[in-house]
Amino acid sequence: QVHLVESGGGSVQAGGSLRLSCTASGYTYKMAWFRQAPGKEREGVAGIASGSTRYADSVKERFTISRDHAKNTLYLQMNSLTPEDTAMYYCAADHGWVPVATLSQSSFRYWGQGTQVTVSS
């Protein structure tokens, strides 16, 4: 069992930046960020595994996912935020090998409790 704890959420004005962090209690092979806005389904934002990254089209060129293996920590640098980025952001992880990063929710067994990001116009 791996526990994930997110941090770094908050309120910011449009055009601002935030960096989310997710600390895992143990090593996992693949990790990703998902988000869920009120009234919407949870969607994949960014994933990392096997030396590759994958982004949702809506965040490309604005968000950057990275991880520090020594600290078992995943990051999401979010720039040029818009009100459409307002959501609860979740960290996800799993041990299973994949050839490239994935944003498939079924690929992740472990989930954090989430951190809220609110972007005002």
Side-chain angles (χ1 to χ4, degrees):
Q1 184 76 14
V2 175
H3 295 285
L4 304 173
V5 179
E6 302 99 333
S7 62
S11 297
V12 65
Q13 289 191 327
S17 299
L18 284 173
R19 189 176 82 153
L20 305 183
S21 299
C22 171
T23 300
S25 62
Y27 175 78
T28 57
Y29 188 81
K30 55 181 181 279
M31 301 187 79
W33 289 98
F34 292 81
R35 68 185 180 186
Q36 187 168 21
K40 294 187 177 180
E41 294 186 353
R42 188 165 58 187
E43 63 175 355
V45 175
I48 188 167
S50 300
S52 69
T53 57
R54 184 184 294 269
Y55 295 94
D57 289 342
S58 59
V59 307
K60 282 181 180 177
E61 308 301 329
R62 299 188 300 123
F63 291 10
T64 302
I65 190 171
S66 62
R67 68 186 295 179
D68 184 330
H69 289 278
K71 297 181 179 180
N72 281 338
T73 300
L74 179 73
Y75 302 100
L76 184 68
Q77 178 65 44
M78 305 185 295
N79 299 327
S80 302
L81 286 162
T82 73
E84 288 69 38
D85 295 314
T86 294
M88 184 71 78
Y89 283 71
Y90 298 92
C91 173
D94 201 275
H95 302 292
W97 179 86
V98 287
V100 294
T102 178
L103 294 179
S104 170
Q105 296 187 47
S106 62
S107 296
F108 297 95
R109 190 180 341 172
Y110 307 115
W111 292 82
Q113 294 299 306
T115 185
Q116 178 68 38
V117 172
T118 302
V119 185
S120 58
S121 58

